């Protein structure tokens, strides 16, 4: 299943911190609404077995590469070599099989 990391017209709820100050997060920057970043998730479920106290949920995993930023960007606050960036990965049947068997 694909999920967008952000949505067009997304609502952000902001709450005061321990000092009572409200700080607005910077708005996410997207060059075009058709270029919004996406993440693919794999979810595994099974039949619930209440007699064994098993609710049927096995797990949910995301397919991305976590790497350090290559360049700094003043606009987004990214620092080269420090900030973690999630990079989308192309997933096919072989990648699924490899991930599920943990090879």
């Amino acid at each position: 299943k694909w999920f967008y990391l952000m949505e067009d017209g997304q609502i952000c709820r902001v709450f005061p911190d321990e000092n009572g100050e409200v700080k607005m997060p910077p708005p996410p920057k997207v060059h075009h609404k058709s270029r919004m970043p996406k993440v693919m998730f794999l979810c595994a479920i099974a039949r619930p077995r209440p007699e064994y106290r098993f609710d049927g949920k096995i797990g949910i995993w995301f397919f991305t590469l976590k790497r350090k930023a290559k360049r700094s960007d003043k606009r987004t606050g990214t620092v080269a070599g420090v900030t973690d960036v999630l990079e989308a990965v192309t997933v096919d049947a072989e990648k699924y099989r490899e991930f599920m068997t943990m090879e």
Side-chain angles (χ1 to χ4, degrees), residues 64-71 81-87:
T64 58
L65 291 176
K66 188 175 180 181
R67 63 171 178 82
K68 299 294 183 185
K70 295 178 183 174
R71 297 187 212 163
V82 177
T83 308
D84 289 329
V85 177
L86 293 179
E87 190 174 288

Side-chain angles (χ1 to χ4, degrees), residues 50-67:
E51 62 270 14
Y52 297 112
R53 304 180 101 201
F54 177 63
D55 60 358
K57 299 173 188 167
I58 296 174
I60 185 165
W61 303 275
F62 61 94
F63 289 96
T64 58
L65 291 176
K66 188 175 180 181
R67 63 171 178 82

Side-chain angles (χ1 to χ4, degrees), residues 2 6 8 10 17 27-28 33 52 55 57 63-64 79 85 92:
W2 282 103
M6 62 185 77
D8 188 27
Q10 181 176 347
D17 59 5
K33 61 194 280 188
Y52 297 112
D55 60 358
K57 299 173 188 167
F63 289 96
T64 58
V79 179
V85 177
D92 56 1

Side-chain angles (χ1 to χ4, degrees), residues 11-77:
I11 295 174
C12 177
R13 292 193 171 92
V14 181
F15 298 99
D17 59 5
E18 55 272 350
N19 299 331
E21 297 178 18
V22 177
K23 294 183 181 178
M24 291 294 292
K29 301 287 185 183
V30 177
H31 295 291
H32 193 270
K33 61 194 280 188
S34 67
R35 301 281 183 193
M36 289 186 194
K38 298 184 284 187
V39 176
M40 180 178 268
F41 283 88
L42 171 66
C43 179
I45 58 173
R47 187 179 64 174
R49 302 290 300 260
E51 62 270 14
Y52 297 112
R53 304 180 101 201
F54 177 63
D55 60 358
K57 299 173 188 167
I58 296 174
I60 185 165
W61 303 275
F62 61 94
F63 289 96
T64 58
L65 291 176
K66 188 175 180 181
R67 63 171 178 82
K68 299 294 183 185
K70 295 178 183 174
R71 297 187 212 163
S72 297
D73 189 355
K74 182 173 61 173
R75 181 176 49 97
T76 60

